[in-house]
Amino acid sequence: MKRTFVGVTALAIILFSTTLGSAHTSQPNTVTASTSLAPKEEIIHVYGPGGPLGPMKELAERFTKETKLKVEVTAGPEAKWINQAKVDADVVFGGSEYMLQELVSKYPELIDEKSRTSLYPRAAGILVRKGNPKKVEGIRDLTKPGMKIIDVNGAGQLGLWEDLAGRQGLIPGIQHNIAISVKSSAEAIEMWKNNNQLDAWITYESWHYRLTEETDLIQLPEAEKLYRGTPIAIAKTTDNKKTAQQFVEYLKTEQAHQVFQKWGWK
């Protein structure tokens, strides 16, 4: 009987020691799991076309530096970002008022129309080759025989050349000289860089500041200029409405306006 009791006691001691050891060794795993549940860094996700990327990116970096709130700007042709924007967009901007309206119509669950506001206008101008070899001085020069024009039929530039030309009765002459028509500025830039036979591009003045090595800018007289807006809005799906609105308000400050002006906005 004594021998049996001693054996049971020894077994109990071994089992207790094993359980204690297991609990001790499992403790770091418990701490690691708890650490992995820490809240993620809050990021303001901003989406829109490539045209306003220059000032948007610069101001996002300034805003982050000043407030410690991170802003991530994704810009370019709509097809490259729209699916992700549906998932995590906080702010959406347009390259013109009609562009943002198209997004509202196509994706009614994406944009809160009540939050929509306009930032700064930008003027249309003419981009030509460095050194202006065709001696373009204004819109009328684009009707000359042999001129080759690239046109962006979309991306905030829909009808831009027609509106400018129509004021002076130059629609037939310019239409005749349109050599290539594309859907986005990204396509136009690629064409411009790879085809030096293209002489001119009627677009926003702001694109020159993104293409200073490849273009000269011909500014139109103020009486002939055509302006389009730069709208911005809060996304309906955002979980960061307060910080998203804070960023939008920052873009409306005079400091932000000066940055837009540096990039070719009025």
Side-chain angles (χ1 to χ4, degrees):
M1 260 326 256
K2 278 186 180 179
R3 211 176 277 172
T4 302
F5 177 78
V6 170
V8 170
T9 303
L11 179 60
I13 292 170
I14 291 170
L15 288 172
F16 176 77
S17 300
T18 303
T19 303
L20 184 62
S22 297
H24 179 71
T25 55
S26 66
Q27 191 171 1
N29 291 333
T30 304
V31 172
T32 302
S34 177
T35 302
S36 68
L37 295 175
K40 294 181 180 178
E41 179 185 16
E42 183 177 348
I43 300 175
I44 304 169
H45 294 281
V46 181
Y47 293 91
L53 176 61
M56 284 291 183
K57 185 176 180 181
E58 180 175 337
L59 288 166
E61 291 170 357
R62 289 191 182 195
F63 180 82
T64 297
K65 187 175 181 180
E66 293 176 20
T67 66
K68 309 305 179 187
L69 295 169
K70 187 174 180 181
V71 179
E72 189 174 280
V73 181
T74 303
E78 178 188 320
K80 292 187 176 181
W81 52 260
I82 189 61
N83 288 336
Q84 189 59 39
K86 291 176 183 177
V87 175
D88 63 11
D90 299 304
V91 177
V92 182
F93 61 89
S96 69
E97 292 291 345
Y98 89 77
M99 279 189 84
L100 193 67
Q101 189 58 48
E102 282 187 341
L103 288 174
V104 169
S105 300
K106 289 165 69 176
Y107 313 107
E109 299 306 313
L110 178 62
I111 295 170
D112 179 3
E113 287 192 81
K114 292 181 180 179
S115 71
R116 180 172 175 167
T117 188
S118 294
L119 297 176
Y120 315 103
R122 54 178 172 162
I126 304 169
L127 301 190
V128 297
R129 294 288 169 186
K130 294 296 290 183
N132 193 12
K134 292 296 182 76
K135 308 301 180 187
V136 175
E137 296 181 1
I139 194 81
R140 189 171 295 276
D141 291 328
L142 300 186
T143 65
K144 292 179 179 178
M147 290 292 299
K148 291 183 173 61
I149 302 169
I150 185 167
D151 167 50
V152 177
N153 192 38
Q157 296 159 62
L158 186 64
L160 195 63
W161 74 264
E162 188 174 2
D163 288 346
L164 284 167
R167 293 175 174 180
Q168 301 185 48
L170 302 176
I171 291 176
I174 289 182
Q175 193 284 322
H176 180 76
N177 286 340
I178 292 177
I180 298 175
S181 186
V182 295
K183 289 293 184 183
S184 71
S185 297
E187 292 176 87
I189 292 169
E190 184 178 359
M191 290 281 188
W192 186 265
K193 290 181 177 180
N194 294 324
N195 184 354
N196 59 15
Q197 298 302 306
L198 295 171
D199 302 308
W201 174 13
I202 299 173
T203 184
Y204 296 112
E205 291 180 355
S206 60
W207 273 112
H208 166 65
Y209 299 92
R210 298 268 296 277
L211 299 165
T212 54
E213 297 298 317
E214 297 87 0
T215 66
D216 279 347
L217 171 62
I218 309 302
Q219 292 184 314
L220 301 175
E222 190 62 38
E224 297 179 15
K225 282 190 177 182
L226 185 150
Y227 291 90
R228 286 186 178 171
T230 310
I232 193 165
I234 306 298
K236 281 184 177 180
T237 52
T238 182
D239 292 326
N240 305 321
K241 187 173 181 179
K242 184 177 179 180
T243 49
Q245 187 63 49
Q246 188 177 342
F247 179 61
V248 171
E249 292 301 319
Y250 179 78
L251 295 178
K252 294 162 67 177
T253 63
E254 182 53 34
Q255 177 188 1
H257 187 192
Q258 291 172 8
V259 172
F260 270 91
Q261 287 176 318
K262 184 184 76 174
W263 285 92
W265 271 251
K266 186 174 179 179

